[in-house]
Amino acid sequence: MSQEHAGTESLENLLHETRSFPPPADFAARANVTASAYEDAARDREQFWARQARELLSWSTDFTEVLDFSGAPVARWFGDGRLNAAYNAVDRHVEAGHGERVAIHFEGEPGDTRTITYADLKDEVSRAANALTDLGVRTGDRVAIYLPLVPEAVIAMLACARVGAAHSVVFGGFSAEALHARIIDAEARVVVTADGGYRRGKAMALKPAVDEAIAKGGTPVEHVLVVRRTGQDTAMTDGRDVWWDDTVATASAEHEPVAVDAENPLFILYTSGTTGKPKGIMHTTGGFLTQTAYTVRAVFDLKPETDVYWCTADVGWVTGHSYVTYGPLVNGATQVLYEGTPDTPDKDRWWQIVAKYGVTILYTAPTAIRTAMKWGEELPGRHDLSSLRLLGSVGEPINPEAWMWYRRVIGGDRAPVVDTWWQTETGAIMISPLPGVTAAKPGSAQTPLPGISADVLDEAGQPVPDGHGGYLVLTEPWPAMLRGIWGDPQRYQDTYWSRFPGKYFAGDGAKKDEDGDVWLLGRVDDVMNISGHRLSTTEIESALVSHPVVAEAAVVGAKDDTTGQAVVAFVILRAEAVERADEEGEGADVVAELRNHVAKEIGPIAKPRSILVVAELPKTRSGKIMRRLLRDVAEGRPAGDVTTLADSSVMEQISTGMSG
Ligand code: ATP
Ligand code: MG
């Protein structure tokens, strides 16, 4: 640490990663976007985005104004332009002669499949738009969507966009209570749901949760539109509930998309709730579509004629909005949509799907990669994954060793890996390598995309020099930025714009390495203070995962009498290691070895006081580790708010392990 900067440093830089993977020459030669994009954007950022907006989208009224930030922190992009999102995602591809191209290869969990072309999609979305109109939905209304990951989820979103209504998708795994709160917050007049969906081989009912949510009272819901997915017995309320099959299927396939203002709300979506109560994030149309479309082209290098794209996210999360429904379809992509879990019927289901459809671009989350590492590389090894030419990661920092595993085992040591940093609030990817340009470093998101300005600041709001850590901020408005928290402008200002006035504070810690590349270091809420040293969770976790027996790790700071806080780690072992430990009874040795491993990799200051080997970690329903619950356990408290937890039994198991 340089002396002049020591005082204001907010995060220490511990881990040193020297591996780097330049793009394969043939990939670089054919890449959609080259290094000149950075120069273009730097010359005139607004004109760069205006060009993308015009090249990638069809506008019914062209815009004359690019960015208006006079109402900061609420931006207006392309404010006097008009367009329709569904027309951009569907109709214009049919008009351009691509109606026969497959838009969606749907794979149901039980193995049923559907092939939906762009022409089919246009008819379905048009029918659904007519049905929603018949149910009273008007431009400017809100519609709640509570569906499994079936094509109707995408169709319903696009149907809302087609009539100019905003959707509020609620993840199908959420309870009636969560649904109730979100319906009320958004004032949704219609809910689109299904009888149920398939999960782990079972038909899970969904409709009863909608009934329960409405029965709680206070909702403005007039109608419920019900997709038949499982065929299970479903109670329908006369006059309120209608079947998709009776309304959408019989509606006209002719529908004129409603051109809306670029700033018309496209959707409301709640954050994952990793750090607390979810926030209702509001996105609008023109800027959101511009940046999602651009990033699919630039970061995923999508070639719509030849690629088969698969983003594994549920539409209940922002990734499913930006990189299942809008970004890929606006580009005319062919994509895979898979309903179920990765271990049904077997733990190689994903790899079987990649081989079956010849997936070329795969976008998933570190949690899935680490789970696959835990299960062992023999499973992907059973399938031909040679079609894959690009791999993406999003949702959490990816530990360098998980990155290496992803590249080697899934990507055949050939496909570039892009680690993409963004948030529900940013709407689209912000910091990521460009696969045909950047020499990728395992575990680093590296570079703000062309047209995006980010920095890492110290406590005092000054940019940190290279080699130092601090707070990640975005320093200029971007097209897909949130336009606010639904119904709460003050909370928008307070949450994101008050820590560093005039700059958007993302809530994440980050460092710049010696080359100026950005490394994400986890939530600032999770930063530990060990004997006066501020340490991030991510680097210690990555050091643990770099040991060959560890698949996944979570680190927290627990109160300690001598050091203020002490590092407490929770680790999941790889399947091969668990078998060996069981045979040889070497559990205690593993813990000692891992403590020393951390000390050796990043220094004695980071050596965990204790390490607990666990079978599972507490995660949100979107798969992110919830460290605040582990901190409760490590400090001997009952775990706090667990309502956004995917599996509440995990906390009981861990608490028992801790005291036992
Ligand atoms: P809440 O804001 O309610 O706590 P959340 O932040 O988990 O929920 P999301 O918007 O889904 O909700 O997640 C965004 C966050 O995910 C980022 O702020 C960051 O912490 C993390 N993240 C996403 N992608 C990456 C990445 N590539 N590297 C590191 N962290 C990432
Ligand atoms: Mg967040």
Side-chain angles (χ1 to χ4, degrees), residues 28 62 97 273 278 359 492 528 634-635:
D62 190 21
V359 172
Y492 173 52
M528 301 170 292
E635 296 185 340

Side-chain angles (χ1 to χ4, degrees), residues 482-501:
L482 74 166
R483 301 305 197 256
I485 295 180
W486 186 252
D488 199 347
Q490 191 58 45
R491 191 173 174 206
Y492 173 52
Q493 167 74 42
D494 295 348
T495 309
Y496 308 102
W497 299 91
S498 62
R499 178 70 181 81
F500 302 107

Side-chain angles (χ1 to χ4, degrees), residues 246-326:
D246 296 338
T247 51
V248 176
T250 58
S252 160
E254 297 300 319
H255 180 273
E256 189 61 35
V258 178
V260 297
D261 288 344
E263 287 298 338
N264 194 60
L266 182 61
F267 64 87
I268 302 165
L269 181 68
Y270 295 80
T271 56
S272 321
T274 311
T275 53
K277 187 169 172 287
K279 303 171 273 285
I281 304 300
M282 205 250 292
H283 282 286
T284 59
T285 308
F288 175 83
L289 293 180
T290 299
Q291 198 179 332
T292 52
Y294 176 70
T295 47
V296 164
R297 235 181 81 71
V299 178
F300 301 142
D301 193 49
L302 180 94
K303 314 267 199 280
E305 306 78 24
T306 48
D307 276 314
V308 179
Y309 167 95
W310 184 21
C311 165
T312 65
D314 192 280
V315 288
W317 313 121
V318 72
T319 310
H321 284 60
S322 306
Y323 297 108
V324 174
T325 299
Y326 292 106

Side-chain angles (χ1 to χ4, degrees), residues 46-390:
E46 288 183 27
Q47 281 313 310
F48 170 82
W49 284 119
R51 242 181 354 263
Q52 304 310 326
R54 291 197 175 98
E55 278 171 20
L56 297 168
L57 303 178
S58 303
W59 297 78
S60 52
T61 308
D62 190 21
F63 51 89
T64 60
E65 151 198 325
V66 181
L67 168 65
D68 175 3
F69 205 39
S70 59
V74 180
R76 289 170 55 82
W77 281 89
F78 320 120
D80 58 347
R82 293 174 73 80
L83 76 172
N84 181 277
Y87 175 81
N88 273 277
V90 185
D91 300 47
R92 64 190 185 126
H93 306 310
V94 179
E95 288 169 11
H98 306 309
E100 293 315 303
R101 184 186 295 162
V102 175
I104 298 175
H105 287 294
F106 172 67
E107 172 103 0
E109 198 190 72
D112 57 316
T113 60
R114 281 161 71 185
T115 307
I116 300 171
T117 64
Y118 275 93
D120 298 335
L121 194 58
K122 175 171 179 280
D123 288 352
E124 279 296 298
V125 172
S126 299
R127 287 196 178 95
N130 281 321
L132 288 178
T133 305
D134 289 345
L135 293 176
V137 175
R138 298 288 173 264
T139 305
D141 284 350
R142 267 86 51 207
V143 172
I145 298 177
Y146 183 66
L147 280 170
L149 193 46
V150 291
E152 283 77 8
V154 175
I155 292 165
M157 290 163 83
L158 293 170
C160 290
R162 202 174 176 93
V163 302
H167 48 75
S168 168
V169 180
V170 180
F171 175 54
F174 277 142
S175 64
E177 230 149 302
L179 178 62
H180 178 247
R182 285 160 174 72
I183 289 173
I184 289 191
D185 193 55
E187 299 167 284
R189 303 174 60 181
V190 168
V191 181
V192 185
T193 189
D195 50 358
Y198 292 98
R199 203 123 191 104
R200 296 229 149 74
K202 285 203 212 70
M204 309 285 280
L206 268 182
K207 173 69 167 43
V210 177
D211 296 338
E212 203 186 319
I214 297 172
K216 283 178 189 299
T219 76
V221 173
E222 290 158 17
H223 291 288
V224 180
L225 178 56
V226 188
V227 173
R228 204 187 301 274
R229 167 65 183 136
T230 58
Q232 64 202 109
D233 279 346
T234 301
M236 298 287 277
T237 301
D238 263 353
R240 188 194 71 186
D241 303 350
V242 293
W243 287 105
W244 181 283
D245 286 346
D246 296 338
T247 51
V248 176
T250 58
S252 160
E254 297 300 319
H255 180 273
E256 189 61 35
V258 178
V260 297
D261 288 344
E263 287 298 338
N264 194 60
L266 182 61
F267 64 87
I268 302 165
L269 181 68
Y270 295 80
T271 56
S272 321
T274 311
T275 53
K277 187 169 172 287
K279 303 171 273 285
I281 304 300
M282 205 250 292
H283 282 286
T284 59
T285 308
F288 175 83
L289 293 180
T290 299
Q291 198 179 332
T292 52
Y294 176 70
T295 47
V296 164
R297 235 181 81 71
V299 178
F300 301 142
D301 193 49
L302 180 94
K303 314 267 199 280
E305 306 78 24
T306 48
D307 276 314
V308 179
Y309 167 95
W310 184 21
C311 165
T312 65
D314 192 280
V315 288
W317 313 121
V318 72
T319 310
H321 284 60
S322 306
Y323 297 108
V324 174
T325 299
Y326 292 106
L329 294 179
V330 166
N331 276 287
T334 295
Q335 69 178 315
V336 171
L337 195 72
Y338 169 56
E339 176 185 29
T341 56
D343 53 352
T344 307
D346 294 307
K347 291 188 167 107
D348 63 344
R349 182 69 182 270
W350 276 20
W351 316 123
Q352 189 208 330
I353 291 173
V354 167
K356 174 175 172 186
Y357 295 100
V359 172
T360 58
I361 300 169
L362 179 67
Y363 191 34
T364 192
T367 182
I369 298 162
R370 293 182 308 238
T371 301
M373 282 169 71
K374 176 172 89 176
W375 289 341
E377 60 185 86
E378 188 260 326
L379 292 161
R382 286 181 198 164
H383 300 277
D384 177 7
L385 307 182
S386 61
S387 56
L388 287 169
R389 68 177 193 92
L390 182 115

Side-chain angles (χ1 to χ4, degrees), residues 537-567:
T537 53
T538 302
E539 294 191 315
I540 304 176
E541 289 165 2
S542 289
L544 285 161
V545 176
S546 76
H547 191 285
V549 304
V550 178
E552 181 151 32
V555 157
V556 299
K559 275 198 197 67
D560 186 275
D561 291 342
T562 42
T563 55
Q565 279 188 317
V567 177

